[in-house]
Amino acid sequence: QVQLVESGGGLVQPGGSLTLSCAASGSIFRLHVMGWYRQAPGKQRELVATITSSFSTSYADSLKGRFTISRDNAKNTVYLQMNSLKPEDTAVYYCNVIASSERGSLPMNYWGKGTLVTVSS
């Protein structure tokens, strides 16, 4: 099993910046894809960004240029740097990891509990 703990959410003014972190722990052989999703009130969960073990990144088209995903494999941690935040970025942000617990085991999908980001003046 892999546990994910997000941190860094909070209240920020429009135009501000925030960095989210997600640390993975537990039985980890390899963290394949790490990513962030978000769910705004009354809306479905949507992809924000992903990063592979070889550091290839992918972003939601609407967020390119404002959000940056990165990872530190030594710390089993993924980050999301969010700049020029807008009220519509308000959402619960969830960390997602596809990980293998043992050599040769099938990768499994894991979710964090989420961290709330509120963009408001």
Side-chain angles (χ1 to χ4, degrees):
Q1 287 287 342
V2 175
Q3 293 79 44
L4 302 175
V5 177
E6 301 109 329
S7 61
L11 175 64
V12 62
Q13 292 187 341
S17 298
L18 211 56
T19 299
L20 305 181
S21 301
C22 171
S25 62
S27 179
I28 299 172
F29 171 71
R30 179 167 294 168
L31 299 173
H32 300 283
V33 182
M34 306 182 79
W36 291 94
Y37 290 70
R38 70 182 185 183
Q39 188 167 15
K43 295 187 177 181
Q44 290 189 334
R45 191 173 298 188
E46 63 178 0
L47 171 70
V48 174
T50 61
I51 184 167
T52 68
S53 56
S54 58
F55 302 98
S56 177
T57 59
S58 178
Y59 296 90
D61 286 342
S62 62
L63 301 176
K64 287 180 181 178
R66 293 197 297 124
F67 289 16
T68 302
I69 190 170
S70 61
R71 62 189 283 173
D72 184 333
N73 288 336
K75 296 181 178 179
N76 290 337
T77 299
V78 61
Y79 305 95
L80 185 69
Q81 172 69 41
M82 304 183 292
N83 297 325
S84 302
L85 284 162
K86 306 174 182 180
E88 51 263 44
D89 294 318
T90 295
V92 177
Y93 284 71
Y94 295 92
C95 178
N96 174 261
V97 167
I98 300 174
S100 299
S101 295
E102 300 176 351
R103 180 184 295 275
S105 66
L106 289 175
M108 295 184 65
N109 200 27
Y110 298 92
W111 290 94
K113 294 183 178 180
T115 184
L116 178 62
V117 172
T118 303
V119 184
S120 176
S121 55

